[in-house]
Amino acid sequence: MAFIKIENLFKKFGTMVAVNHIDLEVIQGEILTLLGPSGCGKTTTLRCIAGLERPDEGDVLIDGKPMFSKGFVPPSQREIGMVFQNYAVWPHLRVFDNVAYGLKLQRLPKEEIKRRVNEVLESVGLSGLGKRYPGQLSGGQQQRVALARALVRNPKVLLLDEPLSNLDAKLRERMRFEIKSLVRRMNMTSVYVTHDQAEAMVISDRIAVMESGNIVQVGAPEEIYKKPANRFVADFIGTTNFIPGEIAEIRENQIYVTTEFGQKILCKVFDSATAVPDQKVHVSIRPEDIEVYAEPSGSRDNVFKGTIMHRAYLGNFLNFFVNVDHTMIRVQVPYHLRQKEGEELYLYLNPEKCIALP
Protein backbone atom coordinates (compact mmCIF):
# COMPACT_ATOMS: atom_id res chain seq x y z
CA MET A 1 0.00 0.00 0.00
CA ALA A 2 1.34 3.44 -0.97
CA PHE A 3 1.81 5.65 2.08
CA ILE A 4 3.29 8.53 0.06
CA LYS A 5 1.98 9.16 -3.43
CA ILE A 6 3.45 11.74 -5.80
CA GLU A 7 1.16 12.64 -8.69
CA ASN A 8 2.27 14.56 -11.79
CA LEU A 9 4.66 16.70 -9.72
CA PHE A 10 6.08 19.66 -11.63
CA LYS A 11 8.34 22.40 -10.31
CA LYS A 12 10.52 24.95 -12.05
CA PHE A 13 12.69 27.82 -10.91
CA GLY A 14 12.57 30.58 -13.50
CA THR A 15 13.06 28.81 -16.81
CA MET A 16 14.78 25.77 -15.28
CA VAL A 17 12.60 22.69 -14.82
CA ALA A 18 13.63 21.01 -11.57
CA VAL A 19 10.96 18.28 -11.43
CA ASN A 20 9.25 17.26 -14.64
CA HIS A 21 5.77 15.76 -14.08
CA ILE A 22 6.89 12.76 -12.05
CA ASP A 23 4.74 10.03 -10.49
CA LEU A 24 6.03 7.91 -7.63
CA GLU A 25 4.71 5.79 -4.76
CA VAL A 26 6.44 4.97 -1.48
CA ILE A 27 5.13 1.83 0.22
CA GLN A 28 4.36 1.96 3.92
CA GLY A 29 7.40 1.00 6.00
CA GLU A 30 9.94 1.03 3.15
CA ILE A 31 13.07 3.09 2.61
CA LEU A 32 12.97 4.61 -0.86
CA THR A 33 16.02 6.50 -2.09
CA LEU A 34 16.00 9.30 -4.66
CA LEU A 35 19.35 8.89 -6.39
CA GLY A 36 21.01 11.04 -9.01
CA PRO A 37 23.64 13.70 -9.75
CA SER A 38 23.48 17.29 -8.54
CA GLY A 39 20.65 19.21 -10.19
CA CYS A 40 18.56 16.15 -11.09
CA GLY A 41 15.58 17.23 -8.93
CA LYS A 42 15.85 14.82 -6.01
CA THR A 43 16.10 17.43 -3.23
CA THR A 44 13.33 19.54 -4.78
CA THR A 45 11.10 16.46 -4.79
CA LEU A 46 11.93 15.81 -1.13
CA ARG A 47 11.21 19.45 -0.21
CA CYS A 48 7.82 19.23 -1.94
CA ILE A 49 6.99 16.16 0.18
CA ALA A 50 8.04 18.13 3.27
CA GLY A 51 6.09 21.24 2.29
CA LEU A 52 9.22 23.40 2.08
CA GLU A 53 8.55 23.93 -1.65
CA ARG A 54 5.22 24.33 -3.41
CA PRO A 55 4.98 22.60 -6.80
CA ASP A 56 3.66 24.46 -9.86
CA GLU A 57 1.54 21.43 -10.74
CA GLY A 58 0.65 18.07 -9.24
CA ASP A 59 0.15 16.87 -5.70
CA VAL A 60 1.67 14.85 -2.87
CA LEU A 61 -0.53 12.54 -0.78
CA ILE A 62 0.61 11.36 2.65
CA ASP A 63 -1.47 8.59 4.19
CA GLY A 64 -4.17 9.36 1.63
CA LYS A 65 -4.36 13.07 2.45
CA PRO A 66 -3.57 15.64 -0.30
CA MET A 67 -0.91 18.16 0.72
CA PHE A 68 -1.56 20.79 -1.97
CA SER A 69 -4.67 20.25 -4.15
CA LYS A 70 -7.21 20.76 -1.34
CA GLY A 71 -5.38 23.53 0.43
CA PHE A 72 -1.74 23.81 1.42
CA VAL A 73 -0.83 21.69 4.44
CA PRO A 74 2.12 23.32 6.26
CA PRO A 75 5.15 21.21 7.24
CA SER A 76 4.23 21.31 10.93
CA GLN A 77 0.96 19.51 10.18
CA ARG A 78 2.34 16.79 7.90
CA GLU A 79 3.62 14.51 10.70
CA ILE A 80 7.06 14.31 9.15
CA GLY A 81 10.57 14.33 10.55
CA MET A 82 13.39 15.76 8.44
CA VAL A 83 17.16 15.39 8.66
CA PHE A 84 19.13 18.00 6.72
CA GLN A 85 22.51 17.74 5.02
CA ASN A 86 24.14 20.28 7.34
CA TYR A 87 22.52 18.81 10.52
CA ALA A 88 20.85 22.18 11.34
CA VAL A 89 21.32 21.72 15.09
CA TRP A 90 21.38 24.86 17.22
CA PRO A 91 24.92 25.42 18.56
CA HIS A 92 23.74 27.47 21.56
CA LEU A 93 21.41 24.71 22.83
CA ARG A 94 22.47 21.56 24.62
CA VAL A 95 21.77 18.20 23.00
CA PHE A 96 18.71 17.62 25.20
CA ASP A 97 17.19 20.99 24.30
CA ASN A 98 17.90 20.52 20.58
CA VAL A 99 15.98 17.26 20.60
CA ALA A 100 13.21 18.55 22.91
CA TYR A 101 12.54 21.73 20.92
CA GLY A 102 9.60 20.40 18.91
CA LEU A 103 8.01 18.80 21.96
CA LYS A 104 8.23 22.08 23.87
CA LEU A 105 6.38 23.83 21.05
CA GLN A 106 3.60 21.27 21.56
CA ARG A 107 3.53 22.29 25.25
CA LEU A 108 3.82 18.73 26.48
CA PRO A 109 4.37 18.10 30.20
CA LYS A 110 8.01 18.30 31.32
CA GLU A 111 8.10 14.68 32.46
CA GLU A 112 6.72 13.48 29.12
CA ILE A 113 9.34 15.54 27.26
CA LYS A 114 12.13 14.18 29.45
CA ARG A 115 11.00 10.60 28.97
CA ARG A 116 10.67 10.83 25.19
CA VAL A 117 13.96 12.69 24.70
CA ASN A 118 15.89 10.22 26.83
CA GLU A 119 14.31 7.29 24.98
CA VAL A 120 15.24 8.63 21.55
CA LEU A 121 18.75 9.61 22.66
CA GLU A 122 19.28 6.05 23.82
CA SER A 123 17.94 4.66 20.53
CA VAL A 124 20.49 6.69 18.50
CA GLY A 125 23.41 5.92 20.83
CA LEU A 126 23.63 9.30 22.59
CA SER A 127 22.55 8.24 26.05
CA GLY A 128 24.29 10.36 28.71
CA LEU A 129 25.25 13.18 26.30
CA GLY A 130 22.16 15.34 26.78
CA LYS A 131 24.02 18.10 28.64
CA ARG A 132 26.70 18.61 25.98
CA TYR A 133 26.66 21.31 23.30
CA PRO A 134 26.89 20.31 19.62
CA GLY A 135 30.39 21.80 19.41
CA GLN A 136 31.54 19.22 21.95
CA LEU A 137 30.42 16.34 19.73
CA SER A 138 31.93 14.59 16.72
CA GLY A 139 30.35 14.91 13.28
CA GLY A 140 28.70 11.50 13.62
CA GLN A 141 27.26 12.42 17.02
CA GLN A 142 25.89 15.72 15.67
CA GLN A 143 24.21 13.77 12.88
CA ARG A 144 22.63 11.52 15.50
CA VAL A 145 21.31 14.62 17.31
CA ALA A 146 19.63 15.73 14.07
CA LEU A 147 18.22 12.24 13.63
CA ALA A 148 16.95 12.13 17.23
CA ARG A 149 15.25 15.51 16.81
CA ALA A 150 13.47 14.21 13.69
CA LEU A 151 12.33 11.01 15.45
CA VAL A 152 11.29 12.32 18.86
CA ARG A 153 7.83 13.41 17.67
CA ASN A 154 7.06 9.92 16.32
CA PRO A 155 6.53 11.10 12.73
CA LYS A 156 4.68 9.07 10.13
CA VAL A 157 7.35 9.86 7.54
CA LEU A 158 11.12 10.37 7.85
CA LEU A 159 12.83 12.48 5.18
CA LEU A 160 16.62 12.53 4.89
CA ASP A 161 18.44 14.96 2.59
CA GLU A 162 22.01 13.69 2.00
CA PRO A 163 22.48 13.31 5.77
CA LEU A 164 25.92 11.65 5.58
CA SER A 165 27.68 13.79 2.99
CA ASN A 166 29.63 15.82 5.57
CA LEU A 167 31.07 12.77 7.33
CA ASP A 168 34.38 11.03 6.60
CA ALA A 169 34.30 7.81 4.59
CA LYS A 170 34.61 5.36 7.50
CA LEU A 171 31.97 7.07 9.62
CA ARG A 172 29.67 7.47 6.63
CA GLU A 173 29.80 3.72 6.00
CA ARG A 174 28.95 2.91 9.64
CA MET A 175 26.12 5.45 9.79
CA ARG A 176 24.45 3.90 6.74
CA PHE A 177 23.85 0.70 8.66
CA GLU A 178 22.87 2.55 11.85
CA ILE A 179 20.21 4.60 10.07
CA LYS A 180 18.87 1.58 8.20
CA SER A 181 18.68 -0.49 11.40
CA LEU A 182 16.94 2.30 13.32
CA VAL A 183 14.35 2.95 10.61
CA ARG A 184 13.69 -0.80 10.34
CA ARG A 185 13.10 -1.10 14.10
CA MET A 186 10.65 1.80 14.03
CA ASN A 187 8.92 0.53 10.85
CA MET A 188 8.96 4.08 9.51
CA THR A 189 8.22 5.12 5.92
CA SER A 190 11.33 6.94 4.72
CA VAL A 191 12.52 8.89 1.69
CA TYR A 192 16.30 9.25 1.46
CA VAL A 193 18.14 11.56 -0.93
CA THR A 194 21.72 10.94 -2.01
CA HIS A 195 24.09 11.18 -4.98
CA ASP A 196 26.19 8.32 -3.57
CA GLN A 197 25.25 5.10 -5.37
CA ALA A 198 26.95 2.86 -2.76
CA GLU A 199 24.94 4.56 -0.02
CA ALA A 200 21.73 4.04 -1.98
CA MET A 201 22.52 0.36 -2.60
CA VAL A 202 23.12 -0.31 1.11
CA ILE A 203 20.27 1.62 2.69
CA SER A 204 17.35 1.22 0.27
CA ASP A 205 14.47 -1.16 -0.25
CA ARG A 206 13.94 0.53 -3.60
CA ILE A 207 15.79 3.20 -5.58
CA ALA A 208 14.34 5.84 -7.89
CA VAL A 209 17.07 7.07 -10.24
CA MET A 210 16.56 10.66 -11.40
CA GLU A 211 18.03 12.55 -14.33
CA SER A 212 17.19 16.14 -15.38
CA GLY A 213 13.99 16.24 -13.33
CA ASN A 214 12.73 12.86 -14.55
CA ILE A 215 12.56 9.44 -12.91
CA VAL A 216 14.31 7.08 -15.33
CA GLN A 217 14.09 3.83 -13.36
CA VAL A 218 12.60 2.53 -10.11
CA GLY A 219 13.50 -0.84 -8.62
CA ALA A 220 15.28 -2.83 -5.94
CA PRO A 221 19.05 -2.19 -5.70
CA GLU A 222 19.91 -5.53 -7.33
CA GLU A 223 17.50 -4.89 -10.20
CA ILE A 224 18.88 -1.39 -10.82
CA TYR A 225 22.43 -2.74 -10.82
CA LYS A 226 21.89 -5.86 -12.93
CA LYS A 227 19.17 -4.62 -15.29
CA PRO A 228 19.71 -0.89 -15.92
CA ALA A 229 17.05 0.75 -18.06
CA ASN A 230 19.49 2.83 -20.11
CA ARG A 231 23.08 3.96 -20.41
CA PHE A 232 22.69 6.72 -17.81
CA VAL A 233 21.57 4.28 -15.12
CA ALA A 234 24.26 1.71 -16.01
CA ASP A 235 26.93 4.41 -15.85
CA PHE A 236 25.69 6.07 -12.66
CA ILE A 237 25.23 2.86 -10.66
CA GLY A 238 28.60 1.25 -10.07
CA THR A 239 31.32 0.84 -12.73
CA THR A 240 30.74 -0.61 -16.15
CA ASN A 241 32.33 -0.92 -19.59
CA PHE A 242 30.57 0.53 -22.62
CA ILE A 243 31.53 -1.04 -25.94
CA PRO A 244 29.98 0.79 -28.92
CA GLY A 245 28.60 -1.13 -31.87
CA GLU A 246 25.64 -1.91 -34.11
CA ILE A 247 23.07 -4.69 -33.96
CA ALA A 248 24.04 -7.34 -36.53
CA GLU A 249 21.55 -10.11 -35.77
CA ILE A 250 18.52 -10.57 -33.50
CA ARG A 251 17.60 -13.93 -31.93
CA GLU A 252 14.58 -13.83 -29.61
CA ASN A 253 16.02 -12.41 -26.39
CA GLN A 254 19.64 -12.29 -27.60
CA ILE A 255 21.47 -10.30 -30.25
CA TYR A 256 24.85 -10.13 -31.93
CA VAL A 257 26.48 -6.71 -31.87
CA THR A 258 29.29 -5.82 -34.26
CA THR A 259 31.74 -3.83 -32.16
CA GLU A 260 33.94 -0.93 -33.18
CA PHE A 261 36.90 -3.32 -33.13
CA GLY A 262 35.23 -5.48 -35.76
CA GLN A 263 34.31 -8.54 -33.72
CA LYS A 264 30.84 -9.65 -32.64
CA ILE A 265 29.54 -9.79 -29.07
CA LEU A 266 26.58 -11.98 -28.11
CA CYS A 267 24.47 -10.29 -25.44
CA LYS A 268 21.01 -9.77 -23.99
CA VAL A 269 18.65 -7.52 -25.90
CA PHE A 270 17.32 -4.46 -24.05
CA ASP A 271 13.89 -4.68 -25.70
CA SER A 272 13.14 -7.27 -28.38
CA ALA A 273 10.12 -5.26 -29.52
CA THR A 274 12.15 -2.16 -30.43
CA ALA A 275 15.55 -3.61 -31.37
CA VAL A 276 16.26 -3.45 -35.11
CA PRO A 277 19.26 -4.43 -37.28
CA ASP A 278 21.95 -1.73 -37.73
CA GLN A 279 20.72 0.10 -34.63
CA LYS A 280 23.57 1.77 -32.74
CA VAL A 281 23.97 0.43 -29.20
CA HIS A 282 26.44 0.25 -26.33
CA VAL A 283 27.19 -3.15 -24.84
CA SER A 284 27.44 -2.77 -21.05
CA ILE A 285 29.30 -5.29 -18.88
CA ARG A 286 30.57 -4.88 -15.33
CA PRO A 287 34.32 -5.38 -14.70
CA GLU A 288 33.62 -8.14 -12.17
CA ASP A 289 31.61 -10.10 -14.76
CA ILE A 290 34.56 -10.54 -17.13
CA GLU A 291 36.69 -13.69 -16.84
CA VAL A 292 40.37 -13.77 -17.80
CA TYR A 293 42.45 -16.66 -19.18
CA ALA A 294 46.08 -17.06 -20.16
CA GLU A 295 44.98 -19.21 -23.13
CA PRO A 296 41.75 -19.18 -25.20
CA SER A 297 39.03 -21.16 -23.44
CA GLY A 298 37.42 -23.38 -26.07
CA SER A 299 35.45 -22.31 -29.13
CA ARG A 300 32.72 -20.10 -27.71
CA ASP A 301 31.32 -16.62 -28.24
CA ASN A 302 32.70 -13.48 -26.60
CA VAL A 303 36.35 -14.51 -26.19
CA PHE A 304 38.71 -11.67 -27.11
CA LYS A 305 42.48 -11.33 -27.03
CA GLY A 306 43.93 -8.20 -25.46
CA THR A 307 46.99 -6.61 -23.88
CA ILE A 308 47.19 -5.35 -20.29
CA MET A 309 47.91 -1.64 -20.50
CA HIS A 310 47.51 -0.77 -16.81
CA ARG A 311 47.46 -2.86 -13.63
CA ALA A 312 45.98 -1.29 -10.47
CA TYR A 313 46.34 -3.00 -7.08
CA LEU A 314 43.38 -2.23 -4.79
CA GLY A 315 44.04 -4.57 -1.87
CA ASN A 316 41.37 -7.23 -2.15
CA PHE A 317 41.32 -7.21 -5.96
CA LEU A 318 43.12 -5.93 -9.06
CA ASN A 319 41.91 -3.82 -11.95
CA PHE A 320 43.32 -4.68 -15.37
CA PHE A 321 42.79 -2.17 -18.18
CA VAL A 322 42.99 -4.33 -21.28
CA ASN A 323 43.39 -3.02 -24.83
CA VAL A 324 41.32 -5.06 -27.29
CA ASP A 325 42.03 -3.62 -30.76
CA HIS A 326 42.15 -0.03 -29.43
CA THR A 327 39.10 -0.48 -27.18
CA MET A 328 39.97 -0.27 -23.47
CA ILE A 329 38.10 -2.78 -21.27
CA ARG A 330 38.29 -2.66 -17.47
CA VAL A 331 38.42 -6.03 -15.68
CA GLN A 332 38.25 -6.81 -11.96
CA VAL A 333 40.30 -9.89 -11.07
CA PRO A 334 41.60 -11.65 -7.91
CA TYR A 335 44.52 -9.86 -6.24
CA HIS A 336 46.83 -12.89 -6.57
CA LEU A 337 46.97 -12.91 -10.39
CA ARG A 338 50.53 -12.33 -11.56
CA GLN A 339 50.04 -10.99 -15.09
CA LYS A 340 51.99 -7.78 -15.69
CA GLU A 341 51.49 -4.71 -17.86
CA GLY A 342 52.32 -5.50 -21.47
CA GLU A 343 51.32 -9.18 -21.24
CA GLU A 344 48.55 -10.67 -23.39
CA LEU A 345 45.51 -12.52 -22.08
CA TYR A 346 42.04 -13.58 -23.17
CA LEU A 347 38.78 -12.04 -21.94
CA TYR A 348 35.50 -13.92 -21.74
CA LEU A 349 32.43 -11.65 -21.67
CA ASN A 350 29.58 -13.83 -20.39
CA PRO A 351 26.63 -13.27 -22.79
CA GLU A 352 24.22 -13.44 -19.83
CA LYS A 353 26.02 -10.48 -18.24
CA CYS A 354 26.32 -8.37 -21.42
CA ILE A 355 23.43 -5.94 -21.96
CA ALA A 356 22.98 -3.98 -25.18
CA LEU A 357 21.63 -0.50 -24.35
CA PRO A 358 20.25 1.94 -26.93
Side-chain angles (χ1 to χ4, degrees), residues 114-295:
K114 182 178 179 180
R115 181 186 65 80
R116 288 172 63 171
V117 170
N118 286 335
E119 283 180 357
V120 77
L121 287 178
E122 183 177 357
S123 71
V124 298
L126 293 176
S127 185
L129 300 181
K131 293 184 179 180
R132 293 193 185 182
Y133 288 97
Q136 298 174 306
L137 304 177
S138 68
Q141 289 172 327
Q142 290 185 51
Q143 188 57 275
R144 288 191 184 96
V145 173
L147 187 59
R149 188 178 58 191
L151 296 173
V152 74
R153 296 177 63 184
N154 296 321
K156 289 183 176 180
V157 173
L158 180 64
L159 307 176
L160 304 105
D161 186 10
E162 304 211 38
L164 307 182
S165 60
N166 291 325
L167 304 180
D168 63 68
K170 284 282 189 182
L171 183 56
R172 188 162 63 241
E173 185 176 6
R174 190 170 79 239
M175 286 295 294
R176 292 171 190 165
F177 293 101
E178 291 186 9
I179 289 176
K180 183 173 184 176
S181 176
L182 183 63
V183 171
R184 284 273 190 277
R185 291 200 308 269
M186 301 184 75
N187 192 33
M188 191 172 294
T189 306
S190 305
V191 181
Y192 193 102
V193 162
T194 185
H195 64 273
D196 186 324
Q197 55 92 14
E199 196 168 295
M201 297 283 282
V202 168
I203 209 165
S204 313
D205 294 307
R206 288 190 303 146
I207 298 171
V209 183
M210 296 190 70
E211 179 190 19
S212 303
N214 298 291
I215 294 175
V216 292
Q217 187 172 0
V218 181
E222 186 174 356
E223 178 186 353
I224 296 284
Y225 188 80
K226 291 185 175 180
K227 298 177 181 179
N230 57 28
R231 175 172 175 155
F232 173 81
V233 177
D235 194 26
F236 195 79
I237 303 291
T239 302
T240 194
N241 294 286
F242 290 112
I243 303 171
E246 295 182 352
I247 295 177
E249 183 182 345
I250 302 173
R251 297 180 179 178
E252 296 182 3
N253 65 335
Q254 287 187 318
I255 58 174
Y256 278 100
V257 174
T258 302
T259 67
E260 64 178 9
F261 51 84
Q263 301 185 56
K264 290 182 179 180
I265 295 180
L266 179 63
C267 56
K268 288 182 178 179
V269 63
F270 52 88
D271 185 348
S272 58
T274 59
V276 293
D278 300 325
Q279 180 179 358
K280 293 186 181 299
V281 295
H282 282 87
V283 176
S284 169
I285 184 166
R286 305 285 183 185
E288 65 270 22
D289 291 330
I290 300 174
E291 300 173 23
V292 300
Y293 299 93
E295 300 293 335

Side-chain angles (χ1 to χ4, degrees), residues 65-111:
K65 182 180 179 181
M67 297 291 110
F68 298 104
S69 62
K70 295 185 179 179
F72 175 69
V73 179
S76 60
Q77 296 178 23
R78 295 191 179 198
E79 297 186 76
I80 61 169
M82 188 156 182
V83 181
F84 296 91
Q85 181 176 353
N86 61 354
Y87 314 150
V89 296
W90 290 286
H92 64 290
L93 295 181
R94 297 179 190 271
V95 168
F96 183 95
D97 296 315
N98 262 283
V99 177
Y101 185 80
L103 301 180
K104 290 178 179 178
L105 291 180
Q106 292 179 308
R107 300 184 182 277
L108 295 180
K110 287 185 178 181
E111 286 303 313

